[in-house]
């Protein structure tokens, strides 16, 4: 027996309060300093600028449209995810690659908690970078005067997505400490995101709503402008992504070398809880239904989210008629009043002519991959129209969210110029004024519509082109030439003196709107 | 130990000027060359890379066979095959990492040849495996057009070669273990270009298969990658024992 073994055991000194958190904080600080993530951030920043920011500024300056690709379709997650997963895999495989696993296992701190510190440092860098990049992007948007409210809930989804990819990549590195762990994690993440897009683009309901790149029913006008962004689906996605992160991190704590039985049991509980959370979120997303303001999930929906956003309208005048818009659309007020003025002047004083024009909220529509802009036809009634006349005295209701506004347009063949926009507005006003609604209209209605357009400065020959360029216009002609009995009647009507046209319309407008007139009834 | 047993020509003597080597020596040299090659490939984890490349071939077959297409037209149909080609290029680039560093560079005069040979051979094998996957999908689909690789075999060769070149360049600039960065970044750029209709030849996957400009750009990149990886080798960060 030696002196060492015969010596009485020294009583263990009580652990000073705060030592563990302090050492954990020190460990985290060391991991933050020694992390590989900062080295990849300049590349992610360049890709973020190229893929998420640059295309967005070629769209209308409204948050809902600017962020359609980068947050709605998950562009920012695509920019971050593969690289974050790869670097996390690199960090997760560090001890294994350096043959330090046994050494680290022998340290007082359980291996799993040390690994969690490494992961936390990686995730902190990635999340901080995501927030900074998105913050700078939003600051640029604000500087450019982008209208509406930023989709903060979708930023939170992006943050959780970055955390989930970092956790998944880290787990790959922990279980496969190989040089190939990082490229495989990057490739796997890119493939998962592509498969998410593949499924998400074609699924407008059901479980696929949980996928982080599924924009269906999320990003249409006028979210953040006339009514708030609904938080239901973002909350479900946050739950899903957080659940995945918890599950994979929990799994890394299951092996025997991860720590003591208590810690491994805790890891198992976390893994199971994560899976349960992800499953619950998928179930909730399956119950999502499309409302006028976006996807609502009954289990998560708060009625307060349906309240419209209060605003002080910006107003102008078109031929003496007040025109009021949401301030987010304020920059287009001159274009709207300029487009409406000729026709409002033409119909001024007629019974049924609008006493004022006001913007109304554009509701959500279904259909696959519905970007902002004109809605798709959803039934036999024809597509909803952007300009409608209702009430007595008549009010011209402008659902501008259905239109591609003048200027840059990310969802068109090119920028929308002022003449093109004015032509479309005039066409839709004339269509609404003759009472055609969502249908092409009777021949008499179409003839008067053509004559009104002619009076507003659109020649007959140009009208088929304007109709062809107006999305979802119900009366788009098959022929590109302004010929036939309708145009013959329109030419006859347009040839009358303005006072005669005015008098005829004053006498026959009600019958015309009721569809009771034929071409022969036109003077 | 003495130098008596070494049959090495005197320094400065012209090659072939000595006596003809006996067959046994030639056999020994061949065996040593084979052993050197084998050790090099094992140290670069080439067997694992081959297994992963074979897996990518199977994945491409599955993607084409079951039409894992992203909705959105012809450009969108390229996304998944392109991602698989990117994965192959990333794997090839990562095999350039050498665990021995300075000692290997000082003693291994065949190292440049081995680097070049491994990169070329792996690219050729990757092309063969991916082509086989695409062909198998086409055959399994009864020759239907839907099971065809977008752009065909030539586009596959061009895209894979160009992205492998980017991977090799990344390995030269960032280190072999980070050779995957170039192809993955290029994938994101390509997807953005495909989505927004950009057609510069430097983003060669956006161009038709037989587009000369795209082929030249991809060819220049793989040539630059091969030259630099041969001459300079991958960057070796100091103090990091690196990956296994």
């Amino acid at each position: 027996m030696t002196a060492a073994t015969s010596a009485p055991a020294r009583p263990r000194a009580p652990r000073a309060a705060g030592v563990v958190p302090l050492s954990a904080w020190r460990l985290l600080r060391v991991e933050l300093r020694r992390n590989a993530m900062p080295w990849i951030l300049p590349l992610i920043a360049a890709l973020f600028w190229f893929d998420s920011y640059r295309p967005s500024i070629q769209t209308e300056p409204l948050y809902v449209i600017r962020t359609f690709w980068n947050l709605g379709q998950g562009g920012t997650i695509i920019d971050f995810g593969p690289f974050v997963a790869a670097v996390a895999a690199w960090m997760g495989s560090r001890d294994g690659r350096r043959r330090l696993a046994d050494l680290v296992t022998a340290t007082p701190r359980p291996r799993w908690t040390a690994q969690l510190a490494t992961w936390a440092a990686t995730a902190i860098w990635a999340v901080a970078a995501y927030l900074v990049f998105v913050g700078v992007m939003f600051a640029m948007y604000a500087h450019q005067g982008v209208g509406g409210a930023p989709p903060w809930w979708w930023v939170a989804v992006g943050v959780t997505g970055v955390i989930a990819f970092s956790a998944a990549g880290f787990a790959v590195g922990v279980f496969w400490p190989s040089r190939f762990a990082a490229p495989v994690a990057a490739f796997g993440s890119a493939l998962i995101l592509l498969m998410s897009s593949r499924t998400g683009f074609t699924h407008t309901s059901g479980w696929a709503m949980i996928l982080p790149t599924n924009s269906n029913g999320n990003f249409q006008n006028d979210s953040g402008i006339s009514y708030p962004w609904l938080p239901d689906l973002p909350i479900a996605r946050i739950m899903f992504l957080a659940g995945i992160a918890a599950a994979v991190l929990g799994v890394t704590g299951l092996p025997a070398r991860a720590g003591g039985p208590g810690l491994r049991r805790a890891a198992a509980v976390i893994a199971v809880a994560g899976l349960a959370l992800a499953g619950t979120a998928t179930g909730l997303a399956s119950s999502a239904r499309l409302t006028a303001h976006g996807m609502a999930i009954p289990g998560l929906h708060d009625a307060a989210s349906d309240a419209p956003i209060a605003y002080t309208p910006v107003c102008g005048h078109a031929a003496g008629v007040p025109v009021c818009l949401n301030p987010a659309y304020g920059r287009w007020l001159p274009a709207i009043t300029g487009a409406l003025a000729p026709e409002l002047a033409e119909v001024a004083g007629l019974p049924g002519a609008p006493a004022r024009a006001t913007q109304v909220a554009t509701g959500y529509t279904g259909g696959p991959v519905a970007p902002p802009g004109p809605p798709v036809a959803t039934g036999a009634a024809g597509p909803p129209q952007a300009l409608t006349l209702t009430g007595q005295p008549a009010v011209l209701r402008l659902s501008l969210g259905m239109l591609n506004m003048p200027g840059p347009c990310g969802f068109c063949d090119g920028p929308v110029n002022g003449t093109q926009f004015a032509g479309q507005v005039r066409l839709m006003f004339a269509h609404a004024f003759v009472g055609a609604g969502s249908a092409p209209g009777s021949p008499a209605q179409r003839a008067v519509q053509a004559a009104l357009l002619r009076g507003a400065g659109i020649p007959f020959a140009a009208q088929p082109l304007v109709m062809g360029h107006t999305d979802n216009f119900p009366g788009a002609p098959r022929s590109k030439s302004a010929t036939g009995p309708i145009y013959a009647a329109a030419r006859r009507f347009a040839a009358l003196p303005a006072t005669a046209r005015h008098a005829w319309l004053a006498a026959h407008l009600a019958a015309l709107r009721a569809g009771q007139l034929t071409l022969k009834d036109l003077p | 130990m003495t130098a008596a047993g070494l049959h090495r020509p005197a320094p400065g003597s012209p090659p072939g000027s000595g006596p003809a080597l006996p067959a046994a020596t030639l056999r020994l040299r061949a065996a040593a060359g084979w052993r050197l090659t084998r050790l090099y490939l094992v140290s670069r984890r080439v067997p694992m890379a081959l297994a992963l490349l074979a897996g990518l071939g199977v994945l491409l077959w599955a993607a084409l066979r079951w039409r894992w297409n992203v909705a959105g037209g012809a450009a969108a149909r390229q996304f998944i095959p392109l991602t698989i080609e990117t994965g192959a290029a990333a794997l090839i680039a990562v095999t350039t990492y050498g665990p021995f560093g300075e000692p290997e560079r000082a003693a291994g005069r065949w190292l440049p040849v081995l680097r070049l040979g491994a990169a070329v051979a792996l690219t050729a094998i990757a092309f063969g495996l991916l082509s086989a996957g695409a062909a198998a999908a086409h055959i399994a689909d009864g020759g239907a057009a839907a099971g065809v690789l977008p752009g065909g075999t030539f586009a596959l060769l061009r895209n894979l070669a160009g992205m492998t070149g980017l991977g090799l360049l990344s390995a030269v600039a960032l280190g072999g273990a980070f050779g995957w960065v170039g192809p993955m970044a290029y994938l994101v750029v390509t997807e953005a270009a495909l989505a927004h209709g950009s057609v510069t030849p430097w983003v060669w996957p956006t161009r038709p298969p037989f587009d000369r400009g795209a082929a030249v750009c991809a060819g220049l990149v793989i040539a630059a990658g091969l030259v630099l990886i041969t001459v300079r080798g991958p960057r070796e960060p100091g103090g990091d024992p690196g990956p296994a």
Side-chain angles (χ1 to χ4, degrees), chain A residues 463-488:
Chain A
Q463 290 179 14
L465 195 65
V466 174
M467 291 181 199
H469 284 168
T470 303
D471 289 312
N472 287 310
F473 180 69
R478 293 196 184 101
S479 167
K480 288 187 177 177
S481 63
T483 54
I486 291 174
Y487 277 103

CSV table of all heavy atoms in Angstrom, one decimal, chain A residues 463-488:
chain,number,residue,atom,x,y,z
A,463,GLN,N,-56.4,49.2,-79.2
A,463,GLN,CA,-57.2,48.6,-78.1
A,463,GLN,C,-57.0,47.0,-77.9
A,463,GLN,O,-56.9,46.6,-76.8
A,463,GLN,CB,-58.7,48.9,-78.2
A,463,GLN,CG,-58.9,50.4,-78.0
A,463,GLN,CD,-60.3,50.8,-78.1
A,463,GLN,OE1,-61.2,50.0,-78.2
A,463,GLN,NE2,-60.6,52.1,-78.2
A,464,PRO,N,-57.0,46.3,-79.0
A,464,PRO,CA,-56.8,44.8,-78.8
A,464,PRO,C,-55.4,44.6,-78.1
A,464,PRO,O,-55.3,43.6,-77.3
A,464,PRO,CB,-56.8,44.3,-80.3
A,464,PRO,CG,-57.6,45.3,-81.1
A,464,PRO,CD,-57.3,46.6,-80.5
A,465,LEU,N,-54.4,45.4,-78.4
A,465,LEU,CA,-53.1,45.2,-77.8
A,465,LEU,C,-53.2,45.5,-76.3
A,465,LEU,O,-52.7,44.7,-75.5
A,465,LEU,CB,-52.1,46.1,-78.5
A,465,LEU,CG,-50.6,45.8,-78.2
A,465,LEU,CD1,-50.2,44.5,-78.8
A,465,LEU,CD2,-49.7,46.9,-78.7
A,466,VAL,N,-53.9,46.6,-75.9
A,466,VAL,CA,-54.0,46.9,-74.5
A,466,VAL,C,-54.8,45.8,-73.8
A,466,VAL,O,-54.4,45.3,-72.7
A,466,VAL,CB,-54.8,48.2,-74.4
A,466,VAL,CG1,-55.1,48.5,-72.9
A,466,VAL,CG2,-54.0,49.4,-75.0
A,467,MET,N,-55.8,45.2,-74.4
A,467,MET,CA,-56.6,44.1,-73.8
A,467,MET,C,-55.7,42.9,-73.7
A,467,MET,O,-55.8,42.2,-72.6
A,467,MET,CB,-57.8,43.8,-74.7
A,467,MET,CG,-58.8,44.9,-74.7
A,467,MET,SD,-60.2,44.4,-75.7
A,467,MET,CE,-61.0,45.9,-76.1
A,468,GLY,N,-54.9,42.7,-74.7
A,468,GLY,CA,-54.0,41.5,-74.6
A,468,GLY,C,-53.0,41.6,-73.5
A,468,GLY,O,-52.5,40.6,-72.9
A,469,HIS,N,-52.6,42.8,-73.2
A,469,HIS,CA,-51.5,43.0,-72.2
A,469,HIS,C,-52.1,43.2,-70.8
A,469,HIS,O,-51.3,43.2,-69.8
A,469,HIS,CB,-50.7,44.3,-72.5
A,469,HIS,CG,-49.7,44.1,-73.6
A,469,HIS,ND1,-49.1,45.1,-74.3
A,469,HIS,CD2,-49.3,42.9,-74.2
A,469,HIS,CE1,-48.3,44.6,-75.2
A,469,HIS,NE2,-48.4,43.3,-75.2
A,470,THR,N,-53.4,43.2,-70.7
A,470,THR,CA,-54.0,43.4,-69.3
A,470,THR,C,-54.3,42.0,-68.8
A,470,THR,O,-55.2,41.3,-69.3
A,470,THR,CB,-55.3,44.3,-69.4
A,470,THR,OG1,-54.9,45.5,-70.1
A,470,THR,CG2,-55.9,44.5,-68.1
A,471,ASP,N,-53.6,41.7,-67.7
A,471,ASP,CA,-53.8,40.3,-67.2
A,471,ASP,C,-55.2,40.1,-66.7
A,471,ASP,O,-55.7,41.0,-66.0
A,471,ASP,CB,-52.8,40.1,-66.0
A,471,ASP,CG,-51.4,40.0,-66.5
A,471,ASP,OD1,-51.1,39.3,-67.5
A,471,ASP,OD2,-50.5,40.7,-66.0
A,472,ASN,N,-55.7,39.0,-67.0
A,472,ASN,CA,-57.0,38.5,-66.6
A,472,ASN,C,-58.2,39.4,-67.0
A,472,ASN,O,-59.3,39.4,-66.4
A,472,ASN,CB,-57.1,38.5,-65.0
A,472,ASN,CG,-56.3,37.3,-64.5
A,472,ASN,OD1,-56.5,36.1,-65.0
A,472,ASN,ND2,-55.4,37.5,-63.6
A,473,PHE,N,-57.9,40.2,-68.1
A,473,PHE,CA,-59.0,41.0,-68.6
A,473,PHE,C,-60.0,40.0,-69.3
A,473,PHE,O,-59.6,39.2,-70.1
A,473,PHE,CB,-58.5,42.0,-69.6
A,473,PHE,CG,-59.6,42.9,-70.2
A,473,PHE,CD1,-60.3,43.8,-69.4
A,473,PHE,CD2,-60.0,42.7,-71.5
A,473,PHE,CE1,-61.3,44.5,-69.9
A,473,PHE,CE2,-61.0,43.4,-72.0
A,473,PHE,CZ,-61.7,44.4,-71.2
A,474,PRO,N,-61.3,40.1,-68.9
A,474,PRO,CA,-62.2,39.0,-69.4
A,474,PRO,C,-62.6,39.1,-70.8
A,474,PRO,O,-63.0,38.2,-71.4
A,474,PRO,CB,-63.4,39.2,-68.5
A,474,PRO,CG,-63.3,40.6,-68.0
A,474,PRO,CD,-61.9,41.0,-67.9
A,475,GLY,N,-62.4,40.3,-71.4
A,475,GLY,CA,-62.8,40.4,-72.8
A,475,GLY,C,-61.7,40.5,-73.8
A,475,GLY,O,-61.8,41.1,-74.8
A,476,ALA,N,-60.5,39.8,-73.5
A,476,ALA,CA,-59.4,39.9,-74.4
A,476,ALA,C,-59.8,39.3,-75.7
A,476,ALA,O,-60.3,38.2,-75.8
A,476,ALA,CB,-58.2,39.1,-73.8
A,477,PRO,N,-59.5,40.1,-76.8
A,477,PRO,CA,-60.0,39.6,-78.1
A,477,PRO,C,-59.1,38.5,-78.7
A,477,PRO,O,-57.9,38.5,-78.4
A,477,PRO,CB,-59.9,40.9,-79.0
A,477,PRO,CG,-58.8,41.7,-78.3
A,477,PRO,CD,-58.8,41.3,-76.9
A,478,ARG,N,-59.7,37.7,-79.6
A,478,ARG,CA,-58.8,36.7,-80.2
A,478,ARG,C,-58.1,37.3,-81.4
A,478,ARG,O,-57.0,36.9,-81.7
A,478,ARG,CB,-59.7,35.6,-80.8
A,478,ARG,CG,-60.4,34.8,-79.7
A,478,ARG,CD,-61.0,33.5,-80.3
A,478,ARG,NE,-61.7,32.8,-79.2
A,478,ARG,CZ,-63.1,32.8,-79.1
A,478,ARG,NH1,-63.8,33.4,-80.0
A,478,ARG,NH2,-63.7,32.1,-78.2
A,479,SER,N,-58.7,38.3,-82.0
A,479,SER,CA,-58.0,39.0,-83.1
A,479,SER,C,-57.3,40.2,-82.7
A,479,SER,O,-57.7,40.9,-81.7
A,479,SER,CB,-59.1,39.4,-84.2
A,479,SER,OG,-58.5,40.3,-85.1
A,480,LYS,N,-56.2,40.5,-83.3
A,480,LYS,CA,-55.4,41.7,-83.0
A,480,LYS,C,-55.9,42.9,-83.8
A,480,LYS,O,-55.3,44.0,-83.6
A,480,LYS,CB,-53.9,41.5,-83.2
A,480,LYS,CG,-53.3,40.5,-82.1
A,480,LYS,CD,-51.9,40.4,-82.3
A,480,LYS,CE,-51.3,39.5,-81.2
A,480,LYS,NZ,-49.9,39.3,-81.3
A,481,SER,N,-56.9,42.8,-84.6
A,481,SER,CA,-57.3,43.9,-85.4
A,481,SER,C,-58.7,44.4,-84.9
A,481,SER,O,-59.5,43.6,-84.4
A,481,SER,CB,-57.5,43.5,-86.9
A,481,SER,OG,-58.4,42.5,-87.0
A,482,ALA,N,-58.8,45.7,-84.9
A,482,ALA,CA,-60.1,46.3,-84.4
A,482,ALA,C,-61.1,46.4,-85.5
A,482,ALA,O,-61.4,47.5,-86.0
A,482,ALA,CB,-59.7,47.7,-83.8
A,483,THR,N,-61.6,45.2,-85.9
A,483,THR,CA,-62.6,45.2,-86.9
A,483,THR,C,-63.8,44.4,-86.4
A,483,THR,O,-63.8,43.8,-85.3
A,483,THR,CB,-62.0,44.5,-88.2
A,483,THR,OG1,-61.5,43.2,-87.8
A,483,THR,CG2,-60.9,45.3,-88.8
A,484,GLY,N,-64.8,44.3,-87.3
A,484,GLY,CA,-66.0,43.6,-86.9
A,484,GLY,C,-67.2,44.5,-86.6
A,484,GLY,O,-67.0,45.7,-86.4
A,485,PRO,N,-68.3,43.9,-86.3
A,485,PRO,CA,-69.5,44.7,-86.0
A,485,PRO,C,-69.4,45.5,-84.8
A,485,PRO,O,-69.9,46.7,-84.7
A,485,PRO,CB,-70.6,43.7,-85.9
A,485,PRO,CG,-69.9,42.4,-85.8
A,485,PRO,CD,-68.6,42.5,-86.4
A,486,ILE,N,-68.7,45.0,-83.8
A,486,ILE,CA,-68.6,45.8,-82.5
A,486,ILE,C,-67.8,47.1,-82.7
A,486,ILE,O,-68.2,48.1,-82.3
A,486,ILE,CB,-67.9,44.9,-81.4
A,486,ILE,CG1,-68.9,43.8,-81.0
A,486,ILE,CG2,-67.5,45.7,-80.2
A,486,ILE,CD1,-68.3,42.8,-80.0
A,487,TYR,N,-66.6,46.9,-83.4
A,487,TYR,CA,-65.8,48.1,-83.7
A,487,TYR,C,-66.5,49.1,-84.6
A,487,TYR,O,-66.3,50.3,-84.6
A,487,TYR,CB,-64.4,47.7,-84.1
A,487,TYR,CG,-63.5,47.4,-83.0
A,487,TYR,CD1,-63.2,46.1,-82.6
A,487,TYR,CD2,-63.0,48.4,-82.2
A,487,TYR,CE1,-62.4,45.8,-81.6
A,487,TYR,CE2,-62.2,48.1,-81.1
A,487,TYR,CZ,-61.9,46.8,-80.8
A,487,TYR,OH,-61.1,46.5,-79.7
A,488,ALA,N,-67.3,48.5,-85.6
A,488,ALA,CA,-68.1,49.4,-86.5
A,488,ALA,C,-69.1,50.2,-85.7
A,488,ALA,O,-69.2,51.5,-85.9
A,488,ALA,CB,-68.8,48.5,-87.5
